[in-house]
Amino acid sequence: MVVFNSVAIVGVGLIGGSLALSAREHGMVKKIVGIDADPDTIERANSRHVIDWGTTDLQEGVRDADLVVVATPVRSITPLISDLAPYVRPDAVITDVGSVKKEIVDAVESLPGVDIGFVGGHPIAGTENSGVEAAFPGLFAGRKCVLTPTGRTPKRALRNVSDMWQSLGADVIHMDAAAHDSVFGAVSHLPHYVAFALVSCIDLLSSSEDNLFSFSAGGLKDFTRIAGSDPTMWTDIALMNRSNILSCIDRYRESLTRLRTLIESGDAESLHTALADIRAVRHTRIG
Amino acid sequence: MVVFNSVAIVGVGLIGGSLALSAREHGMVKKIVGIDADPDTIERANSRHVIDWGTTDLQEGVRDADLVVVATPVRSITPLISDLAPYVRPDAVITDVGSVKKEIVDAVESLPGVDIGFVGGHPIAGTENSGVEAAFPGLFAGRKCVLTPTGRTPKRALRNVSDMWQSLGADVIHMDAAAHDSVFGAVSHLPHYVAFALVSCIDLLSSSEDNLFSFSAGGLKDFTRIAGSDPTMWTDIALMNRSNILSCIDRYRESLTRLRTLIESGDAESLHTALADIRAVRHTRIG
């Protein structure tokens, strides 16, 4: 197992905090430094013993780290790596946990005058809750973690980051960054915007006297929960994976229109066949 | 508490079976007769002690009942009530559990030459599983049950059916049948077709080598579960509540298009505001 002397976690929220708790639980790190723009977050992370010490000063925080994990909202990852890169140790490994990869990996690899050991990463884990209070050490156990190395990724950096996630119980997968964004545009980003739109629609159909949510049963409750996800995170993801998401929404609208046409046609047999085929996906694709 | 001497349950599936188990558990019925077109279902309901005795013969099954509950797929409810009505005791109360109400209530109330004590009903309960094996007595506890009486509903019938559901722990609500179909078209039917379309879309985006479902995280898993619902039930509902569902799908497409336009615009602030407003619905509408 890889053991780090000092891990700097930039952004001590659900993911960063859970990574800290899990790394400590697995004896994988001697010291954990938390870096966050919000001093209150640092204080709360300290008082919950999520980090050994914390600072709002990025340069100070990363100086001694042999591993830097950037776990901030996805649009801030590239600027932060650009800011911290000149101050890390020459042998430091840098990784991130952003839900979008292509734009980050391209930008970091073309930072001028910087030669850093960077590996793009995305643990497929999260909850609707955010913040360090929601962090827990088991968040990554049994979950996939995608790494997106390129021809320029140092082998040692890739090995260390890969070992780290495996030690935390994650199932590490290597993917091309563009392929990652296409796949997760479909299986993660699209479902969220579909859910946001549904909750918005039911809200618009409700009136002040007639709150439709008071009648919500199983199905709608799941959508409402998903649509309660962090607006900043889902704004960032929309803008950073925009073309994939727009194309997924278009494909989705086609599927919905096909279903609408079948319903409108009143053709019970064809509609039943379509719904049975969709139900069967559980067995053919999921098993 | 109302106590029935003999309850006939037509259609011994998840809802009918759970009703039988719950009614017995609450000491609300002396004898439970199960009627099902499938002799195998009768046998399984018998062997699980869900019913006291069963038959595939509708006329025989309903003859002695003081309460008849029709719990079959929603498109078969009206024809079955039409078939059984001439054979029930004159004081028998008849109700159903169909997810669509207007068409059933109108049709039953205009059955020629029949004057029966009918109350339309819809317990807001269910799981993705179906069949008598999935039945359990606590299914209705704490759930809403909508009844849709009209000016022609006998008061005694309404009182008995209302008492029954309350005794099983349900929260009974009276609604106009058309209002019921409009509300549940939005909060229950729409989310199901939205989920069916999403699973269909992800299936079409997958290829034989690249199964996108293997990357599915939280959000998509909820959709996949919902889209695993019974195709017959959701074909019936689509056709019986067609105009409400089509109009809900249209309103939903407008919400999705608005969100797509915001994503395409790249206007982070407006997108964030929209997503934050949607997230806030949890507090303003759900509390």
Side-chain angles (χ1 to χ4, degrees), chain B residues 81-109:
Chain B
I81 293 178
S82 169
D83 286 350
L84 66 83
Y87 302 94
V88 296
R89 293 161 46 139
D91 62 344
V93 171
I94 303 176
T95 189
D96 76 312
V97 300
S99 309
V100 179
K101 294 269 65 77
K102 177 71 177 155
E103 189 175 316
I104 291 173
V105 171
D106 284 356
V108 169
E109 292 198 339

mmCIF file of all heavy atoms in Angstrom, chain B residues 81-109:
data_model
loop_
_atom_site.group_PDB
_atom_site.id
_atom_site.type_symbol
_atom_site.label_atom_id
_atom_site.label_comp_id
_atom_site.label_asym_id
_atom_site.label_seq_id
_atom_site.Cartn_x
_atom_site.Cartn_y
_atom_site.Cartn_z
ATOM 1 N N ILE B 81 -66.286 -5.317 -13.336
ATOM 2 C CA ILE B 81 -67.411 -4.856 -12.508
ATOM 3 C C ILE B 81 -68.719 -5.070 -13.263
ATOM 4 O O ILE B 81 -69.733 -5.494 -12.686
ATOM 5 C CB ILE B 81 -67.222 -3.386 -12.091
ATOM 6 C CG1 ILE B 81 -66.015 -3.279 -11.136
ATOM 7 C CG2 ILE B 81 -68.492 -2.834 -11.414
ATOM 8 C CD1 ILE B 81 -65.692 -1.868 -10.680
ATOM 9 N N SER B 82 -68.683 -4.825 -14.552
ATOM 10 C CA SER B 82 -69.874 -5.075 -15.370
ATOM 11 C C SER B 82 -70.287 -6.546 -15.309
ATOM 12 O O SER B 82 -71.468 -6.880 -15.198
ATOM 13 C CB SER B 82 -69.572 -4.644 -16.809
ATOM 14 O OG SER B 82 -70.570 -5.090 -17.679
ATOM 15 N N ASP B 83 -69.289 -7.438 -15.353
ATOM 16 C CA ASP B 83 -69.568 -8.880 -15.313
ATOM 17 C C ASP B 83 -70.066 -9.348 -13.949
ATOM 18 O O ASP B 83 -70.917 -10.237 -13.862
ATOM 19 C CB ASP B 83 -68.292 -9.679 -15.640
ATOM 20 C CG ASP B 83 -67.940 -9.611 -17.120
ATOM 21 O OD1 ASP B 83 -68.769 -9.113 -17.909
ATOM 22 O OD2 ASP B 83 -66.817 -10.034 -17.469
ATOM 23 N N LEU B 84 -69.520 -8.788 -12.884
ATOM 24 C CA LEU B 84 -69.854 -9.318 -11.552
ATOM 25 C C LEU B 84 -71.093 -8.657 -10.945
ATOM 26 O O LEU B 84 -71.757 -9.252 -10.080
ATOM 27 C CB LEU B 84 -68.651 -9.205 -10.606
ATOM 28 C CG LEU B 84 -68.126 -7.821 -10.166
ATOM 29 C CD1 LEU B 84 -68.920 -7.259 -8.987
ATOM 30 C CD2 LEU B 84 -66.659 -7.929 -9.774
ATOM 31 N N ALA B 85 -71.406 -7.438 -11.396
ATOM 32 C CA ALA B 85 -72.484 -6.663 -10.756
ATOM 33 C C ALA B 85 -73.810 -7.426 -10.644
ATOM 34 O O ALA B 85 -74.473 -7.361 -9.597
ATOM 35 C CB ALA B 85 -72.668 -5.326 -11.482
ATOM 36 N N PRO B 86 -74.239 -8.159 -11.666
ATOM 37 C CA PRO B 86 -75.531 -8.844 -11.547
ATOM 38 C C PRO B 86 -75.542 -9.958 -10.508
ATOM 39 O O PRO B 86 -76.615 -10.451 -10.146
ATOM 40 C CB PRO B 86 -75.753 -9.444 -12.944
ATOM 41 C CG PRO B 86 -74.809 -8.718 -13.853
ATOM 42 C CD PRO B 86 -73.655 -8.319 -13.009
ATOM 43 N N TYR B 87 -74.379 -10.384 -10.015
ATOM 44 C CA TYR B 87 -74.316 -11.552 -9.145
ATOM 45 C C TYR B 87 -74.035 -11.223 -7.686
ATOM 46 O O TYR B 87 -74.023 -12.112 -6.845
ATOM 47 C CB TYR B 87 -73.257 -12.542 -9.674
ATOM 48 C CG TYR B 87 -73.575 -12.964 -11.076
ATOM 49 C CD1 TYR B 87 -73.009 -12.309 -12.166
ATOM 50 C CD2 TYR B 87 -74.504 -13.984 -11.318
ATOM 51 C CE1 TYR B 87 -73.325 -12.662 -13.456
ATOM 52 C CE2 TYR B 87 -74.835 -14.340 -12.617
ATOM 53 C CZ TYR B 87 -74.247 -13.670 -13.678
ATOM 54 O OH TYR B 87 -74.591 -14.025 -14.951
ATOM 55 N N VAL B 88 -73.769 -9.959 -7.382
ATOM 56 C CA VAL B 88 -73.461 -9.633 -5.981
ATOM 57 C C VAL B 88 -74.740 -9.471 -5.170
ATOM 58 O O VAL B 88 -75.830 -9.257 -5.726
ATOM 59 C CB VAL B 88 -72.616 -8.332 -5.858
ATOM 60 C CG1 VAL B 88 -71.261 -8.506 -6.514
ATOM 61 C CG2 VAL B 88 -73.360 -7.134 -6.438
ATOM 62 N N ARG B 89 -74.601 -9.589 -3.863
ATOM 63 C CA ARG B 89 -75.726 -9.339 -2.960
ATOM 64 C C ARG B 89 -76.196 -7.895 -3.146
ATOM 65 O O ARG B 89 -75.395 -6.999 -3.429
ATOM 66 C CB ARG B 89 -75.261 -9.520 -1.509
ATOM 67 C CG ARG B 89 -74.906 -10.934 -1.154
ATOM 68 C CD ARG B 89 -74.035 -10.982 0.101
ATOM 69 N NE ARG B 89 -74.584 -10.118 1.152
ATOM 70 C CZ ARG B 89 -74.615 -10.457 2.440
ATOM 71 N NH1 ARG B 89 -74.121 -11.631 2.835
ATOM 72 N NH2 ARG B 89 -75.097 -9.627 3.332
ATOM 73 N N PRO B 90 -77.468 -7.630 -2.937
ATOM 74 C CA PRO B 90 -77.966 -6.267 -3.159
ATOM 75 C C PRO B 90 -77.310 -5.237 -2.230
ATOM 76 O O PRO B 90 -77.188 -4.067 -2.591
ATOM 77 C CB PRO B 90 -79.464 -6.367 -2.870
ATOM 78 C CG PRO B 90 -79.741 -7.743 -2.418
ATOM 79 C CD PRO B 90 -78.530 -8.587 -2.587
ATOM 80 N N ASP B 91 -76.855 -5.679 -1.062
ATOM 81 C CA ASP B 91 -76.237 -4.730 -0.127
ATOM 82 C C ASP B 91 -74.717 -4.700 -0.228
ATOM 83 O O ASP B 91 -74.044 -4.062 0.587
ATOM 84 C CB ASP B 91 -76.637 -5.065 1.317
ATOM 85 C CG ASP B 91 -76.142 -6.452 1.736
ATOM 86 O OD1 ASP B 91 -75.780 -7.259 0.829
ATOM 87 O OD2 ASP B 91 -76.102 -6.741 2.954
ATOM 88 N N ALA B 92 -74.172 -5.411 -1.214
ATOM 89 C CA ALA B 92 -72.703 -5.467 -1.327
ATOM 90 C C ALA B 92 -72.136 -4.100 -1.707
ATOM 91 O O ALA B 92 -72.755 -3.335 -2.457
ATOM 92 C CB ALA B 92 -72.293 -6.504 -2.367
ATOM 93 N N VAL B 93 -70.962 -3.820 -1.182
ATOM 94 C CA VAL B 93 -70.230 -2.610 -1.555
ATOM 95 C C VAL B 93 -69.105 -3.029 -2.502
ATOM 96 O O VAL B 93 -68.431 -4.029 -2.256
ATOM 97 C CB VAL B 93 -69.656 -1.925 -0.292
ATOM 98 C CG1 VAL B 93 -68.713 -0.803 -0.680
ATOM 99 C CG2 VAL B 93 -70.795 -1.422 0.593
ATOM 100 N N ILE B 94 -68.958 -2.261 -3.579
ATOM 101 C CA ILE B 94 -67.909 -2.576 -4.562
ATOM 102 C C ILE B 94 -66.944 -1.403 -4.635
ATOM 103 O O ILE B 94 -67.371 -0.244 -4.683
ATOM 104 C CB ILE B 94 -68.520 -2.842 -5.953
ATOM 105 C CG1 ILE B 94 -69.558 -3.979 -5.857
ATOM 106 C CG2 ILE B 94 -67.440 -3.176 -6.977
ATOM 107 C CD1 ILE B 94 -70.289 -4.245 -7.157
ATOM 108 N N THR B 95 -65.662 -1.704 -4.625
ATOM 109 C CA THR B 95 -64.673 -0.649 -4.829
ATOM 110 C C THR B 95 -63.550 -1.194 -5.705
ATOM 111 O O THR B 95 -63.511 -2.390 -6.014
ATOM 112 C CB THR B 95 -64.141 -0.102 -3.476
ATOM 113 O OG1 THR B 95 -63.337 1.062 -3.730
ATOM 114 C CG2 THR B 95 -63.308 -1.131 -2.732
ATOM 115 N N ASP B 96 -62.669 -0.285 -6.131
ATOM 116 C CA ASP B 96 -61.536 -0.723 -6.943
ATOM 117 C C ASP B 96 -60.293 -0.009 -6.436
ATOM 118 O O ASP B 96 -60.375 0.843 -5.527
ATOM 119 C CB ASP B 96 -61.772 -0.420 -8.429
ATOM 120 C CG ASP B 96 -61.572 1.036 -8.747
ATOM 121 O OD1 ASP B 96 -62.130 1.884 -8.013
ATOM 122 O OD2 ASP B 96 -60.837 1.362 -9.705
ATOM 123 N N VAL B 97 -59.141 -0.369 -7.000
ATOM 124 C CA VAL B 97 -57.889 0.262 -6.578
ATOM 125 C C VAL B 97 -57.124 0.823 -7.789
ATOM 126 O O VAL B 97 -55.906 0.982 -7.744
ATOM 127 C CB VAL B 97 -56.983 -0.736 -5.813
ATOM 128 C CG1 VAL B 97 -57.691 -1.254 -4.567
ATOM 129 C CG2 VAL B 97 -56.571 -1.900 -6.698
ATOM 130 N N GLY B 98 -57.863 1.118 -8.854
ATOM 131 C CA GLY B 98 -57.210 1.537 -10.098
ATOM 132 C C GLY B 98 -56.538 2.890 -10.004
ATOM 133 O O GLY B 98 -57.032 3.801 -9.348
ATOM 134 N N SER B 99 -55.413 3.031 -10.724
ATOM 135 C CA SER B 99 -54.620 4.273 -10.695
ATOM 136 C C SER B 99 -55.230 5.375 -11.541
ATOM 137 O O SER B 99 -54.727 6.497 -11.543
ATOM 138 C CB SER B 99 -53.216 4.004 -11.223
ATOM 139 O OG SER B 99 -52.647 2.913 -10.574
ATOM 140 N N VAL B 100 -56.268 5.049 -12.322
ATOM 141 C CA VAL B 100 -56.992 6.054 -13.109
ATOM 142 C C VAL B 100 -58.447 5.963 -12.675
ATOM 143 O O VAL B 100 -58.957 4.866 -12.467
ATOM 144 C CB VAL B 100 -56.849 5.774 -14.625
ATOM 145 C CG1 VAL B 100 -57.613 6.811 -15.434
ATOM 146 C CG2 VAL B 100 -55.376 5.755 -15.033
ATOM 147 N N LYS B 101 -59.116 7.093 -12.514
ATOM 148 C CA LYS B 101 -60.442 7.035 -11.903
ATOM 149 C C LYS B 101 -61.604 7.497 -12.792
ATOM 150 O O LYS B 101 -62.682 6.902 -12.766
ATOM 151 C CB LYS B 101 -60.481 7.839 -10.588
ATOM 152 C CG LYS B 101 -59.609 7.268 -9.483
ATOM 153 C CD LYS B 101 -60.314 6.278 -8.558
ATOM 154 C CE LYS B 101 -60.798 4.985 -9.126
ATOM 155 N NZ LYS B 101 -59.792 3.971 -9.358
ATOM 156 N N LYS B 102 -61.446 8.555 -13.564
ATOM 157 C CA LYS B 102 -62.580 9.169 -14.248
ATOM 158 C C LYS B 102 -63.296 8.182 -15.179
ATOM 159 O O LYS B 102 -64.514 8.018 -15.115
ATOM 160 C CB LYS B 102 -62.075 10.395 -15.031
ATOM 161 C CG LYS B 102 -63.128 11.121 -15.859
ATOM 162 C CD LYS B 102 -64.131 11.872 -15.011
ATOM 163 C CE LYS B 102 -65.107 12.639 -15.904
ATOM 164 N NZ LYS B 102 -66.388 12.869 -15.187
ATOM 165 N N GLU B 103 -62.522 7.519 -16.014
ATOM 166 C CA GLU B 103 -63.123 6.598 -16.987
ATOM 167 C C GLU B 103 -63.849 5.451 -16.291
ATOM 168 O O GLU B 103 -64.953 5.059 -16.689
ATOM 169 C CB GLU B 103 -62.021 6.056 -17.914
ATOM 170 C CG GLU B 103 -62.564 5.257 -19.092
ATOM 171 C CD GLU B 103 -61.455 4.826 -20.056
ATOM 172 O OE1 GLU B 103 -60.576 5.663 -20.380
ATOM 173 O OE2 GLU B 103 -61.470 3.652 -20.482
ATOM 174 N N ILE B 104 -63.255 4.930 -15.208
ATOM 175 C CA ILE B 104 -63.866 3.814 -14.479
ATOM 176 C C ILE B 104 -65.153 4.259 -13.785
ATOM 177 O O ILE B 104 -66.204 3.610 -13.891
ATOM 178 C CB ILE B 104 -62.874 3.233 -13.446
ATOM 179 C CG1 ILE B 104 -61.726 2.533 -14.168
ATOM 180 C CG2 ILE B 104 -63.572 2.285 -12.472
ATOM 181 C CD1 ILE B 104 -60.601 2.072 -13.261
ATOM 182 N N VAL B 105 -65.086 5.365 -13.074
ATOM 183 C CA VAL B 105 -66.257 5.838 -12.325
ATOM 184 C C VAL B 105 -67.411 6.141 -13.286
ATOM 185 O O VAL B 105 -68.558 5.716 -13.060
ATOM 186 C CB VAL B 105 -65.889 7.086 -11.475
ATOM 187 C CG1 VAL B 105 -67.137 7.721 -10.867
ATOM 188 C CG2 VAL B 105 -64.900 6.698 -10.376
ATOM 189 N N ASP B 106 -67.133 6.826 -14.383
ATOM 190 C CA ASP B 106 -68.182 7.143 -15.356
ATOM 191 C C ASP B 106 -68.791 5.868 -15.932
ATOM 192 O O ASP B 106 -70.012 5.752 -16.045
ATOM 193 C CB ASP B 106 -67.609 7.987 -16.509
ATOM 194 C CG ASP B 106 -67.388 9.436 -16.088
ATOM 195 O OD1 ASP B 106 -67.754 9.783 -14.945
ATOM 196 O OD2 ASP B 106 -66.852 10.211 -16.906
ATOM 197 N N ALA B 107 -67.925 4.927 -16.290
ATOM 198 C CA ALA B 107 -68.414 3.704 -16.938
ATOM 199 C C ALA B 107 -69.250 2.875 -15.971
ATOM 200 O O ALA B 107 -70.319 2.377 -16.325
ATOM 201 C CB ALA B 107 -67.233 2.891 -17.471
ATOM 202 N N VAL B 108 -68.763 2.726 -14.721
ATOM 203 C CA VAL B 108 -69.491 1.900 -13.759
ATOM 204 C C VAL B 108 -70.843 2.539 -13.430
ATOM 205 O O VAL B 108 -71.868 1.856 -13.342
ATOM 206 C CB VAL B 108 -68.654 1.685 -12.480
ATOM 207 C CG1 VAL B 108 -69.508 1.061 -11.368
ATOM 208 C CG2 VAL B 108 -67.445 0.807 -12.770
ATOM 209 N N GLU B 109 -70.867 3.858 -13.308
ATOM 210 C CA GLU B 109 -72.122 4.522 -12.935
ATOM 211 C C GLU B 109 -73.129 4.510 -14.077
ATOM 212 O O GLU B 109 -74.316 4.753 -13.854
ATOM 213 C CB GLU B 109 -71.844 5.954 -12.457
ATOM 214 C CG GLU B 109 -71.071 5.928 -11.127
ATOM 215 C CD GLU B 109 -71.129 7.237 -10.352
ATOM 216 O OE1 GLU B 109 -71.404 8.285 -10.969
ATOM 217 O OE2 GLU B 109 -70.911 7.187 -9.118
#
